Amino acid sequence: MTRAAILSCLVIGVVLTIVVSGQNAAPPSAGTRGAANAATLPAPTGAVMPTRSPRNANYTIAARLDPSTRALTASETIVWRNITANPTRELQFHVYWNAWRNAKSTFLRERALLRTPFHDDEDFARVDIKKLIVHQRSSGQEAESLRSDRTAQMTFIAPDDGNQDDTTVMLVPLAEPAMPGDTVRIELDWTARVPKPFARTGYIGSFYFFAQWFPKLGVLEDTGWNCHQFHANTEFFSDFGVYDVKLTVPTRWRVGGTGVARAETENGDGTTTHSYYQEDVHDFAWTTSPTMIERTADFEPDQAVPPSSSGSRQGPVRIRLLLQPEHAPQADAHIEAARAALKYLSRWAGPYPYDQLTVIDPAYQSEADGMEYPTLITAGTPWLAASRVTINTPHEVVLHEAGHQFFYGIVASNEFEDAWMDEGITTYLAARALVQDHPRTYYEQRFFGNFVPWVFRDLEVSRDTYWNRLPGYRRTPETDLPSHPSFRYSVSGGRMVTYSKTALWLNTLERHLGWPTMERVLQTYFDRWQFKHPKPADFFAVANEVAGQDLMWFFDQVYRSSNAFDYAIDTLKSVKEGDVYRTDVIVSRNGGAVFPVDVTVTLENGETIKERWDGQDRWKHYTFTRSVRATSAVVDPDRVLLLDVDVTNNSKTIDGTAGRTAATKWSLKWLVWFQDSLLSWAFFV
């Protein structure tokens, strides 16, 4: 073995010892100590009382997985009711897995723009619908009046881009129009081939995760069907209903799914059928594997949770965690984060109406991490996780995805068209919850192929920038217009608008209005639009109403414009004229967007002068005459405008010594580290 190899082994061994020791040194917090397997509540049922949603799209599915052939065989019954004001002559379905039927789909064409590799043809997926029968019943009638086999009439359409090779939207003409209030029952038989991991679905080894796996109706609106193709950077939209799902998998394989497991039936052929049930949800996802371990715990609500408009209050929730065996030491961290999400989001938005939340720790390289589904989320953590809270520990991802239960799961905005309404709001609230639960969070780098973490204990990261994802937004602040449909955002920069910009402008609005007002905005919006499909105008209307002022000047800047915010101190001079000092300050607006800002000037005697500028003009000149000279000037000193893309130009000093101490500290740290590294290397050389 060479000296270099010996050195590498020693370094890895030392680092692993340090990291593992640090990981095991941190006990769970008092609120979660002993959380795993501590569930004491009555068994959850999946029922929601009283009924909370229209329940106009109800699914009964029976599916069988054959891991040897990677095949799903399923039968599905949908009971759908037309709750719009207009008739429809057709049904439109999402068939998401056809996005990986071949490389010509819209999803894979868009993904190719990022030069993201995809799998070979033999690893693609597909859904083949063998039979589709429609039963129609008019409003007010008990018996179904018409049965028709529509299998031969199924066609694929591409409403977004006209791509004839895309088969992710299926149109089925009806024998008779479905009038407002009419009910349609659809029976489908279909098979599917499970892909290697694509877009948080598929298999790797013996771990399977199923998302967007069944033919699902679009949403009929008064203007027609809202049923978009599957795009590389957008998610989903569907109506609420009751899901009754039976999943048959090999015996002794553990299953986790949306809702609650009500029964397990041994079939006598080496398989077991798991029955899941949940009311008032709009999707169903599931996972199965023979290796996952299970932990359970309870969440008991506090008294600060406001009641909903119906008077219902937050009830207790069972937390079910399905974990990879190698991540067993991180079970309490997952439980702690799930409890924190339920605690803060139910307080800041409204009650979580379900009696269970399932957290899945997906397998390595399954690409299933960090995603939300009704009552079920996927987390994601490395084998070696740092003892302190960083971007790579389970806390942030669990908080974010569990937060989606409120904004996406309950307030069901259209993720295809207005992705910021769930992703941005959730990013904002998850960041707030994280720092409430963990006031000190740290910057982390990972080494040796992202295997070994190193936490920089001198680099604490803040909600204002790091957890609101300012660095990503700052790179592409003007890429897309947020008011455009999300599925038309650029493939490379759209996420920054959806996640980062929205979190930043919501936090800016919080600082502008104050948290008590912002909290009432969120609570009112959630209470008014739970189990409905709000549009951006609905959120803006609630904000204006609760704040008691017209905030459209702000929403026009952050939603209807892609202009960047950038205020700067251009000039600071303080010159003696006789017995006094004349101080000149020029503040500029370098970006296209406008926001009112404070300008503060500090004098040698400690006195401060504060001016309020409406920020409208391109620049503003202030002149002061005082007995002492000025030492510094700052625009937006309280960092209200978190959207400012360059805070390094927000201040100027006259003496030029500011920051020297910090620079000296970090220079010395780096030099000592470099010296120690050279000495260590010299020992082996």
Side-chain angles (χ1 to χ4, degrees), residues 415-452:
E415 294 184 291
F416 284 105
E417 298 177 1
D418 306 302
W420 68 268
M421 296 184 72
D422 71 290
E423 293 295 355
I425 292 176
T426 300
T427 300
Y428 158 71
L429 287 174
R432 195 175 206 282
L434 181 67
V435 298
Q436 288 277 324
D437 220 42
H438 299 276
R440 304 184 70 177
T441 56
Y442 299 87
Y443 180 73
E444 176 193 315
Q445 284 277 21
R446 299 189 73 85
F447 301 95
F448 303 105
N450 285 330
F451 183 67
V452 177

Short mmCIF file of all heavy atoms in Angstrom, two decimals, residues 415-452:
data_model
loop_
_atom_site.label_atom_id
_atom_site.label_comp_id
_atom_site.label_asym_id
_atom_site.label_seq_id
_atom_site.Cartn_x
_atom_site.Cartn_y
_atom_site.Cartn_z
N GLU A 415 -50.64 23.22 -8.50
CA GLU A 415 -49.18 23.19 -8.57
C GLU A 415 -48.66 23.33 -10.00
O GLU A 415 -47.52 23.76 -10.20
CB GLU A 415 -48.65 21.90 -7.96
CG GLU A 415 -48.90 21.78 -6.46
CD GLU A 415 -48.27 20.53 -5.89
OE1 GLU A 415 -48.75 19.42 -6.21
OE2 GLU A 415 -47.29 20.64 -5.15
N PHE A 416 -49.45 22.95 -10.99
CA PHE A 416 -49.02 23.13 -12.37
C PHE A 416 -48.89 24.62 -12.72
O PHE A 416 -47.97 25.02 -13.43
CB PHE A 416 -50.04 22.51 -13.33
CG PHE A 416 -50.00 21.03 -13.44
CD1 PHE A 416 -50.97 20.25 -12.84
CD2 PHE A 416 -49.00 20.40 -14.15
CE1 PHE A 416 -50.95 18.87 -12.94
CE2 PHE A 416 -48.97 19.02 -14.26
CZ PHE A 416 -49.94 18.25 -13.65
N GLU A 417 -49.84 25.42 -12.24
CA GLU A 417 -49.93 26.81 -12.67
C GLU A 417 -49.41 27.80 -11.65
O GLU A 417 -48.89 28.85 -12.02
CB GLU A 417 -51.39 27.13 -13.01
CG GLU A 417 -51.94 26.27 -14.16
CD GLU A 417 -53.41 26.54 -14.44
OE1 GLU A 417 -54.01 27.40 -13.77
OE2 GLU A 417 -53.97 25.87 -15.35
N ASP A 418 -49.57 27.50 -10.36
CA ASP A 418 -49.22 28.45 -9.30
C ASP A 418 -48.40 27.74 -8.23
O ASP A 418 -48.79 27.67 -7.06
CB ASP A 418 -50.49 29.05 -8.69
CG ASP A 418 -51.40 29.66 -9.74
OD1 ASP A 418 -50.95 30.55 -10.46
OD2 ASP A 418 -52.56 29.21 -9.85
N ALA A 419 -47.25 27.22 -8.62
CA ALA A 419 -46.46 26.39 -7.71
C ALA A 419 -46.00 27.15 -6.48
O ALA A 419 -45.79 26.55 -5.42
CB ALA A 419 -45.26 25.80 -8.45
N TRP A 420 -45.86 28.47 -6.59
CA TRP A 420 -45.40 29.24 -5.44
C TRP A 420 -46.39 29.19 -4.28
O TRP A 420 -46.00 29.36 -3.12
CB TRP A 420 -45.15 30.70 -5.83
CG TRP A 420 -46.39 31.49 -6.19
CD1 TRP A 420 -46.92 31.66 -7.43
CD2 TRP A 420 -47.24 32.22 -5.29
NE1 TRP A 420 -48.05 32.44 -7.37
CE2 TRP A 420 -48.27 32.80 -6.07
CE3 TRP A 420 -47.24 32.43 -3.91
CZ2 TRP A 420 -49.28 33.59 -5.51
CZ3 TRP A 420 -48.25 33.21 -3.35
CH2 TRP A 420 -49.25 33.79 -4.14
N MET A 421 -47.67 28.92 -4.58
CA MET A 421 -48.69 28.96 -3.53
C MET A 421 -48.55 27.80 -2.55
O MET A 421 -49.09 27.87 -1.44
CB MET A 421 -50.09 28.98 -4.14
CG MET A 421 -50.37 30.22 -4.96
SD MET A 421 -52.06 30.29 -5.58
CE MET A 421 -52.98 30.62 -4.07
N ASP A 422 -47.88 26.74 -2.94
CA ASP A 422 -47.59 25.70 -1.95
C ASP A 422 -46.10 25.62 -1.63
O ASP A 422 -45.71 25.60 -0.47
CB ASP A 422 -48.14 24.34 -2.40
CG ASP A 422 -47.36 23.74 -3.55
OD1 ASP A 422 -47.46 24.27 -4.67
OD2 ASP A 422 -46.68 22.73 -3.34
N GLU A 423 -45.25 25.63 -2.66
CA GLU A 423 -43.82 25.49 -2.40
C GLU A 423 -43.23 26.72 -1.71
O GLU A 423 -42.44 26.60 -0.77
CB GLU A 423 -43.06 25.22 -3.70
CG GLU A 423 -43.37 23.87 -4.34
CD GLU A 423 -42.92 22.68 -3.51
OE1 GLU A 423 -42.27 22.89 -2.47
OE2 GLU A 423 -43.22 21.54 -3.91
N GLY A 424 -43.60 27.89 -2.17
CA GLY A 424 -43.06 29.11 -1.58
C GLY A 424 -43.56 29.35 -0.17
O GLY A 424 -42.79 29.68 0.74
N ILE A 425 -44.88 29.19 0.03
CA ILE A 425 -45.44 29.38 1.37
C ILE A 425 -44.85 28.36 2.34
O ILE A 425 -44.51 28.68 3.48
CB ILE A 425 -46.97 29.29 1.32
CG1 ILE A 425 -47.55 30.50 0.56
CG2 ILE A 425 -47.56 29.24 2.73
CD1 ILE A 425 -49.05 30.46 0.36
N THR A 426 -44.70 27.12 1.89
CA THR A 426 -44.14 26.09 2.76
C THR A 426 -42.68 26.34 3.07
O THR A 426 -42.23 26.14 4.21
CB THR A 426 -44.33 24.70 2.12
OG1 THR A 426 -45.72 24.46 1.92
CG2 THR A 426 -43.77 23.61 3.01
N THR A 427 -41.90 26.78 2.08
CA THR A 427 -40.50 27.11 2.33
C THR A 427 -40.39 28.19 3.39
O THR A 427 -39.57 28.11 4.32
CB THR A 427 -39.80 27.56 1.04
OG1 THR A 427 -39.87 26.51 0.07
CG2 THR A 427 -38.34 27.91 1.28
N TYR A 428 -41.22 29.21 3.27
CA TYR A 428 -41.24 30.32 4.23
C TYR A 428 -41.58 29.84 5.64
O TYR A 428 -40.89 30.16 6.62
CB TYR A 428 -42.24 31.36 3.73
CG TYR A 428 -42.80 32.30 4.77
CD1 TYR A 428 -42.00 33.29 5.35
CD2 TYR A 428 -44.13 32.22 5.16
CE1 TYR A 428 -42.53 34.17 6.29
CE2 TYR A 428 -44.66 33.08 6.09
CZ TYR A 428 -43.86 34.05 6.66
OH TYR A 428 -44.39 34.91 7.59
N LEU A 429 -42.63 29.04 5.77
CA LEU A 429 -43.08 28.59 7.09
C LEU A 429 -42.14 27.53 7.68
O LEU A 429 -41.91 27.50 8.89
CB LEU A 429 -44.50 28.06 7.01
CG LEU A 429 -45.58 29.14 6.84
CD1 LEU A 429 -46.95 28.51 6.63
CD2 LEU A 429 -45.61 30.07 8.05
N ALA A 430 -41.61 26.65 6.84
CA ALA A 430 -40.67 25.65 7.34
C ALA A 430 -39.41 26.31 7.88
O ALA A 430 -38.85 25.88 8.90
CB ALA A 430 -40.32 24.66 6.24
N ALA A 431 -38.93 27.35 7.20
CA ALA A 431 -37.76 28.07 7.69
C ALA A 431 -38.06 28.73 9.04
O ALA A 431 -37.23 28.70 9.96
CB ALA A 431 -37.34 29.12 6.67
N ARG A 432 -39.24 29.28 9.16
CA ARG A 432 -39.62 29.91 10.43
C ARG A 432 -39.73 28.88 11.54
O ARG A 432 -39.27 29.10 12.68
CB ARG A 432 -40.96 30.65 10.27
CG ARG A 432 -41.25 31.62 11.39
CD ARG A 432 -42.52 32.42 11.13
NE ARG A 432 -42.46 33.69 11.82
CZ ARG A 432 -42.69 33.83 13.14
NH1 ARG A 432 -43.01 32.78 13.85
NH2 ARG A 432 -42.60 35.01 13.71
N ALA A 433 -40.33 27.74 11.24
CA ALA A 433 -40.46 26.68 12.24
C ALA A 433 -39.10 26.12 12.64
O ALA A 433 -38.87 25.80 13.82
CB ALA A 433 -41.36 25.57 11.70
N LEU A 434 -38.20 25.98 11.67
CA LEU A 434 -36.89 25.41 11.96
C LEU A 434 -36.14 26.24 12.99
O LEU A 434 -35.58 25.71 13.96
CB LEU A 434 -36.07 25.28 10.68
CG LEU A 434 -34.69 24.66 10.83
CD1 LEU A 434 -34.79 23.19 11.23
CD2 LEU A 434 -33.87 24.80 9.56
N VAL A 435 -36.11 27.56 12.78
CA VAL A 435 -35.35 28.40 13.71
C VAL A 435 -36.09 28.60 15.03
O VAL A 435 -35.48 28.94 16.04
CB VAL A 435 -35.00 29.76 13.07
CG1 VAL A 435 -34.13 29.56 11.85
CG2 VAL A 435 -36.25 30.55 12.70
N GLN A 436 -37.41 28.40 15.03
CA GLN A 436 -38.13 28.40 16.30
C GLN A 436 -37.71 27.19 17.13
O GLN A 436 -37.52 27.28 18.34
CB GLN A 436 -39.64 28.35 16.05
CG GLN A 436 -40.24 29.63 15.51
CD GLN A 436 -40.54 30.64 16.60
OE1 GLN A 436 -40.94 30.29 17.69
NE2 GLN A 436 -40.35 31.90 16.29
N ASP A 437 -37.59 26.05 16.47
CA ASP A 437 -37.25 24.82 17.17
C ASP A 437 -35.75 24.68 17.40
O ASP A 437 -35.34 24.05 18.39
CB ASP A 437 -37.77 23.63 16.35
CG ASP A 437 -38.37 22.54 17.23
OD1 ASP A 437 -39.09 22.88 18.18
OD2 ASP A 437 -38.14 21.36 16.93
N HIS A 438 -34.94 25.23 16.50
CA HIS A 438 -33.48 25.14 16.60
C HIS A 438 -32.90 26.51 16.29
O HIS A 438 -32.54 26.79 15.14
CB HIS A 438 -32.94 24.09 15.62
CG HIS A 438 -33.46 22.71 15.87
ND1 HIS A 438 -32.90 21.86 16.80
CD2 HIS A 438 -34.50 22.03 15.33
CE1 HIS A 438 -33.56 20.73 16.82
NE2 HIS A 438 -34.54 20.80 15.94
N PRO A 439 -32.79 27.37 17.29
CA PRO A 439 -32.30 28.74 17.04
C PRO A 439 -30.91 28.81 16.42
O PRO A 439 -30.57 29.79 15.77
CB PRO A 439 -32.33 29.39 18.43
CG PRO A 439 -33.32 28.58 19.21
CD PRO A 439 -33.18 27.18 18.69
N ARG A 440 -30.10 27.77 16.61
CA ARG A 440 -28.74 27.78 16.07
C ARG A 440 -28.60 26.66 15.05
O ARG A 440 -28.70 25.47 15.39
CB ARG A 440 -27.71 27.63 17.20
CG ARG A 440 -27.85 28.67 18.29
CD ARG A 440 -26.76 28.55 19.33
NE ARG A 440 -25.47 28.96 18.81
CZ ARG A 440 -24.35 29.00 19.55
NH1 ARG A 440 -24.38 28.62 20.81
NH2 ARG A 440 -23.21 29.39 19.01
N THR A 441 -28.41 27.03 13.80
CA THR A 441 -28.18 26.07 12.72
C THR A 441 -26.89 26.43 12.02
O THR A 441 -26.45 27.59 12.05
CB THR A 441 -29.35 26.07 11.72
OG1 THR A 441 -29.55 27.41 11.21
CG2 THR A 441 -30.64 25.62 12.39
N TYR A 442 -26.28 25.46 11.34
CA TYR A 442 -24.90 25.61 10.91
C TYR A 442 -24.70 25.25 9.44
O TYR A 442 -25.48 24.49 8.86
CB TYR A 442 -23.98 24.74 11.78
CG TYR A 442 -24.01 25.12 13.24
CD1 TYR A 442 -24.98 24.57 14.09
CD2 TYR A 442 -23.12 26.04 13.76
CE1 TYR A 442 -25.03 24.93 15.43
CE2 TYR A 442 -23.16 26.41 15.09
CZ TYR A 442 -24.12 25.85 15.92
OH TYR A 442 -24.18 26.21 17.24
N TYR A 443 -23.61 25.79 8.91
CA TYR A 443 -23.21 25.48 7.54
C TYR A 443 -22.41 24.18 7.53
O TYR A 443 -21.58 23.94 8.40
CB TYR A 443 -22.36 26.61 6.97
CG TYR A 443 -21.90 26.37 5.55
CD1 TYR A 443 -22.80 26.46 4.49
CD2 TYR A 443 -20.58 26.05 5.27
CE1 TYR A 443 -22.39 26.23 3.19
CE2 TYR A 443 -20.15 25.82 3.98
CZ TYR A 443 -21.06 25.91 2.94
OH TYR A 443 -20.65 25.69 1.66
N GLU A 444 -22.69 23.35 6.54
CA GLU A 444 -22.03 22.05 6.45
C GLU A 444 -21.51 21.81 5.04
O GLU A 444 -22.15 22.17 4.07
CB GLU A 444 -23.02 20.93 6.82
CG GLU A 444 -22.46 19.53 6.65
CD GLU A 444 -23.54 18.46 6.72
OE1 GLU A 444 -24.40 18.54 7.63
OE2 GLU A 444 -23.52 17.55 5.87
N GLN A 445 -20.34 21.21 4.96
CA GLN A 445 -19.80 20.71 3.70
C GLN A 445 -19.63 19.20 3.85
O GLN A 445 -19.38 18.70 4.95
CB GLN A 445 -18.45 21.35 3.37
CG GLN A 445 -18.56 22.78 2.86
CD GLN A 445 -18.85 22.83 1.36
OE1 GLN A 445 -19.35 21.87 0.79
NE2 GLN A 445 -18.56 23.95 0.75
N ARG A 446 -19.74 18.49 2.72
CA ARG A 446 -19.56 17.03 2.76
C ARG A 446 -18.40 16.65 1.85
O ARG A 446 -18.23 17.24 0.77
CB ARG A 446 -20.85 16.32 2.36
CG ARG A 446 -22.01 16.64 3.29
CD ARG A 446 -23.22 15.77 3.03
NE ARG A 446 -23.03 14.40 3.49
CZ ARG A 446 -23.26 14.00 4.73
NH1 ARG A 446 -23.68 14.85 5.65
NH2 ARG A 446 -23.09 12.74 5.07
N PHE A 447 -17.65 15.66 2.27
CA PHE A 447 -16.44 15.26 1.57
C PHE A 447 -16.47 13.76 1.26
O PHE A 447 -17.35 13.04 1.72
CB PHE A 447 -15.20 15.59 2.42
CG PHE A 447 -15.10 17.06 2.75
CD1 PHE A 447 -15.59 17.56 3.95
CD2 PHE A 447 -14.54 17.94 1.85
CE1 PHE A 447 -15.50 18.90 4.25
CE2 PHE A 447 -14.45 19.29 2.13
CZ PHE A 447 -14.93 19.78 3.34
N PHE A 448 -15.50 13.32 0.46
CA PHE A 448 -15.38 11.92 0.06
C PHE A 448 -16.68 11.44 -0.59
O PHE A 448 -17.34 10.51 -0.11
CB PHE A 448 -15.00 11.03 1.26
CG PHE A 448 -13.72 11.44 1.93
CD1 PHE A 448 -13.75 12.10 3.15
CD2 PHE A 448 -12.49 11.20 1.34
CE1 PHE A 448 -12.57 12.49 3.76
CE2 PHE A 448 -11.31 11.59 1.95
CZ PHE A 448 -11.36 12.25 3.17
N GLY A 449 -17.05 12.12 -1.67
CA GLY A 449 -18.26 11.75 -2.39
C GLY A 449 -19.53 12.02 -1.61
O GLY A 449 -20.47 11.21 -1.66
N ASN A 450 -19.55 13.13 -0.88
CA ASN A 450 -20.70 13.51 -0.05
C ASN A 450 -20.96 12.53 1.09
O ASN A 450 -22.05 12.50 1.66
CB ASN A 450 -21.99 13.65 -0.89
CG ASN A 450 -22.00 14.91 -1.71
OD1 ASN A 450 -21.40 15.92 -1.32
ND2 ASN A 450 -22.64 14.86 -2.86
N PHE A 451 -19.97 11.76 1.44
CA PHE A 451 -20.16 10.72 2.45
C PHE A 451 -19.91 11.25 3.87
O PHE A 451 -20.64 10.92 4.80
CB PHE A 451 -19.22 9.55 2.15
CG PHE A 451 -19.37 8.39 3.08
CD1 PHE A 451 -20.54 7.63 3.08
CD2 PHE A 451 -18.36 8.05 3.96
CE1 PHE A 451 -20.68 6.55 3.95
CE2 PHE A 451 -18.49 6.97 4.83
CZ PHE A 451 -19.66 6.22 4.82
N VAL A 452 -18.88 12.06 4.03
CA VAL A 452 -18.47 12.51 5.36
C VAL A 452 -18.84 13.99 5.54
O VAL A 452 -18.44 14.84 4.75
CB VAL A 452 -16.95 12.34 5.56
CG1 VAL A 452 -16.52 12.87 6.91
CG2 VAL A 452 -16.58 10.86 5.41
#
